């Protein structure tokens, strides 16, 4: 049975407003496939998909913070998932997996980290945004510690000639070492393994 001009006008109107086939069917009493036929005939694109009811409305930063639990001393513990391989805190947001520390870092600094992110406090595996540093931040605060402890090196290069300015790094306790030599050593160990 052909639809009345009034119903067609109503369908046209609803399509123009971006209604779904389901909404058009409910409003006009036609079935969804008829609504789909009119949609195609009138040149409207595919029906908008309804967002999945399980799809989080949180931002990636907000989602990350739902998995942290404050512990004594201003530190935070990860209550979410960890990778099987090395226990790295991770979580999924809109079908993508993120490492907790890189997102927590972004919460504190408002930018993405350079290199990997570590907790520079004394709480093991802390994820408190304020306690995290990336490569440049780690270098800076460890160098400050070395200076305070009188461990900052006066040398301009290491025994293999790597420039201190570019390659000097510090352990968490402020002990200096050459980053270039350490990287070479790591590569050699991996090649030998
Ligand atoms: Zn901490
Ligand atoms: Zn070196």
């Amino acid at each position: 049975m052909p639809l009345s001009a009034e119903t067609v006008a109503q369908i046209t109107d609803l399509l123009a407003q971006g209604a779904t086939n389901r909404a058009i069917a409910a409003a006009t009493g036609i079935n969804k496939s008829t609504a789909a036929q009119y949609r195609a005939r009138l040149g409207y694109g595919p029906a908008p998909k309804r967002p999945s009811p399980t799809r989080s409305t949180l931002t990636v930063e907000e989602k990350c913070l739902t998995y942290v639990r404050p512990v004594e001393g201003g530190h935070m513990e990860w209550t979410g998932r960890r990778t099987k391989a090395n226990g790295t805190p991770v979580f999924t947001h809109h079908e993508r997996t993120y490492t907790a520390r890189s997102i927590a870092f972004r919460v504190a600094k408002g930018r993405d980290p350079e290199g990997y992110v570590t907790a520079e406090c004394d709480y093991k595996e802390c994820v408190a945004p304020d306690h995290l540093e990336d490569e440049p931040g780690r270098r800076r605060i460890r160098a400050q510690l070395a200076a305070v402890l009188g461990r900052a090196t006066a040398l301009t290069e290491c025994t293999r000639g790597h420039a201190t300015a570019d390659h000097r790094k510090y352990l968490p306790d402020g002990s200096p070492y050459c980053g270039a030599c350490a990287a070479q050593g790591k590569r050699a160990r991996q090649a030998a393994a």
Side-chain angles (χ1 to χ4, degrees):
M1 191 181 81
L3 299 177
S4 70
E6 194 190 342
T7 305
V8 172
Q10 204 182 350
I11 294 168
T12 309
D13 198 38
L14 287 164
L15 281 167
Q17 290 171 37
T20 61
N21 293 341
R22 181 194 292 270
I24 293 167
T28 62
I30 62 171
N31 62 39
K32 279 197 291 179
S33 62
T34 308
Q37 283 165 21
Y38 272 89
R39 175 182 299 281
R41 202 181 302 165
L42 296 169
Y44 287 94
K49 280 214 178 67
R50 285 188 309 157
S52 155
T54 59
R55 190 174 169 87
S56 171
T57 56
L58 302 178
T59 66
V60 64
E61 289 88 357
E62 287 166 346
K63 177 88 177 272
C64 180
L65 295 178
T66 64
Y67 296 113
V68 306
R69 190 175 73 85
V71 292
E72 212 178 317
H75 305 292
M76 290 189 189
E77 187 180 71
W78 185 248
T79 64
R81 200 153 63 82
R82 290 171 184 273
T83 60
K84 275 211 184 75
N86 43 18
T88 305
V90 292
F91 68 100
T92 307
H93 183 254
H94 295 177
E95 288 101 50
R96 268 194 63 186
T97 299
Y98 297 88
T99 64
R101 283 200 188 87
S102 64
I103 301 302
F105 178 92
R106 210 155 83 186
V107 168
K109 319 274 186 194
R111 63 171 175 87
D112 286 325
E114 288 176 45
Y116 65 95
V117 177
T118 54
E120 291 295 296
C121 61
D122 57 7
Y123 186 76
K124 195 169 180 289
E125 308 211 319
C126 186
V127 288
D130 294 344
H131 297 183
L132 302 176
E133 293 292 347
D134 63 351
E135 180 61 45
R138 191 158 47 238
R139 254 194 222 208
R140 183 172 40 75
I141 66 161
R142 289 182 182 182
Q144 285 166 359
L145 177 65
V148 168
L149 299 175
R151 287 178 175 171
T153 181
L155 302 175
T156 56
E157 56 184 43
C158 79
T159 50
R160 289 187 193 155
H162 302 125
T164 301
D166 296 331
H167 300 293
R168 183 61 54 194
K169 288 187 172 186
Y170 299 89
L171 294 174
D173 69 357
S175 312
Y177 69 97
C178 174
C181 287
Q184 277 176 8
K186 191 176 177 187
R187 276 196 298 275
R189 281 194 302 278
Q190 281 168 349

